Amino acid sequence: MSKLYEYANFSFVVSKDSVQVAVEASNIVERLYKAKTRPEKACFNLGLATGGTPVLTYQELIKKSRHGSIDFSRIETFNLDEYLGLHPTHDQSYAHFMNHNLFSHVPIPSSSIHIPKGYFPDLEESSLDDVVKKECEEYEKLIVHKGGVDLWLIGIGRNGHIAFNEPGSSKSSRTRIVELTKDTIEANTRFFTDSDCSVPSRAVSVGIGTICEAREILLIATGANKQQALYDMVFGEPEHCPAAWLRGGAPVHVCVDESAFAKLEKHLEK
């Protein structure tokens, strides 16, 4: 049985383990999807994350698709980020991750899948940043053109980063090239153990401002190593914990396991 806690615009759903967290998170997606798509032609705009944390949630969403409770043909997706310099078919690109863990298992049209472009093979290094900047601006325009994101599904890094918005990121930041911190690179090294390259040092990421403009946000976190980041999200300084910029804005549903919530539990009432 999950426990519920409320604080400011945060709603915490605390579950026993990561499996139950995924179930709760997928139920939130389903509920908001159904609320938005009741009109016959309505479409649900869903922001998506990568990394180890959301994989179980994607498995639950695949089940819901197969059971008919979510129709992915009525969903448009927008990913948070992509490594700069990896081909979309590279086994560690986020395009490959999404296809492997979600898109190839649900009936979603390729035209409804939107991922920041991070691969520009024919560009010289001197012109790369200018071209990527224009691509980032187009990504922002696309989100607006599609009516905005109904729900961003995000994770949180050990240093409080959301997407690849590292400490020091501005609340008004938009989709852009970001330099990854040593901590984030080290955290992602485990995904590159069998790869033909090391973790890229740069990525394309939506900004904090982009995330905060979503109608609602779903943050998933599991494991004791996320305790401090979650605590700082609620009580810390945004300059040091980017997730703290979520305070006071759109509703944030936080699905966590007991180990990740342990530090916050002492400071929040049910």
Side-chain angles (χ1 to χ4, degrees), residues 87-99:
H87 191 279
T89 60
H90 190 283
D91 63 3
Q92 292 306 316
S93 75
Y94 287 163
H96 179 273
F97 174 96
M98 292 306 309
N99 186 62

Side-chain angles (χ1 to χ4, degrees), residues 49-56 58 79 81 94 97-98 101 188 190-191:
T50 53
T53 303
V55 171
L56 290 177
Y58 292 153
N79 262 71
D81 40 31
Y94 287 163
F97 174 96
M98 292 306 309
N101 288 290
N188 289 345
R190 68 188 189 278
F191 299 117

Side-chain angles (χ1 to χ4, degrees), residues 189-205:
T189 298
R190 68 188 189 278
F191 299 117
F192 283 77
T193 53
D194 298 323
S195 178
D196 59 359
C197 70
S198 57
V199 185
S201 60
R202 299 205 298 171
V204 178
S205 174

Side-chain angles (χ1 to χ4, degrees), residues 36-207:
K36 176 68 185 296
T37 58
R38 283 195 183 101
E40 184 178 350
K41 295 182 179 180
C43 185
F44 187 67
N45 292 337
L46 178 63
L48 298 175
T50 53
T53 303
V55 171
L56 290 177
T57 299
Y58 292 153
Q59 291 175 4
E60 293 298 320
L61 292 177
I62 291 168
K63 292 178 186 178
K64 290 182 181 295
S65 172
R66 290 173 177 170
H67 295 158
S69 55
I70 293 180
D71 179 2
F72 272 84
S73 70
R74 300 182 69 184
I75 292 178
E76 293 227 17
T77 66
F78 299 86
N79 262 71
L80 289 168
D81 40 31
E82 177 61 282
Y83 285 119
L84 190 60
L86 291 190
H87 191 279
T89 60
H90 190 283
D91 63 3
Q92 292 306 316
S93 75
Y94 287 163
H96 179 273
F97 174 96
M98 292 306 309
N99 186 62
H100 177 73
N101 288 290
L102 181 61
F103 296 148
S104 64
H105 305 284
V106 296
I108 184 170
S110 59
S111 59
S112 296
I113 297 171
H114 310 292
I115 300 174
K117 186 177 179 180
Y119 187 65
F120 302 87
D122 300 324
L123 289 180
E124 295 183 1
E125 191 67 29
S126 58
S127 59
L128 176 63
D129 286 11
D130 288 339
V131 172
V132 177
K133 181 180 178 181
K134 292 180 180 178
E135 287 287 339
C136 292
E137 292 172 352
E138 290 303 313
Y139 197 68
E140 289 281 339
K141 291 178 181 177
L142 176 65
I143 293 173
V144 173
H145 176 70
K146 295 293 184 177
V149 173
D150 294 302
L151 177 70
W152 270 119
L153 189 159
I154 65 175
I156 185 170
R158 293 179 300 189
N159 63 359
H161 75 255
I162 50 177
F164 274 132
N165 295 286
E166 302 283 4
S169 296
S170 167
K171 184 179 182 179
S172 61
S173 58
R174 295 291 173 179
T175 304
R176 67 204 186 284
I177 297 174
V178 293
E179 303 287 338
L180 307 187
T181 65
K182 181 180 178 181
D183 182 74
T184 296
I185 291 174
E186 289 179 352
N188 289 345
T189 298
R190 68 188 189 278
F191 299 117
F192 283 77
T193 53
D194 298 323
S195 178
D196 59 359
C197 70
S198 57
V199 185
S201 60
R202 299 205 298 171
V204 178
S205 174
V206 303

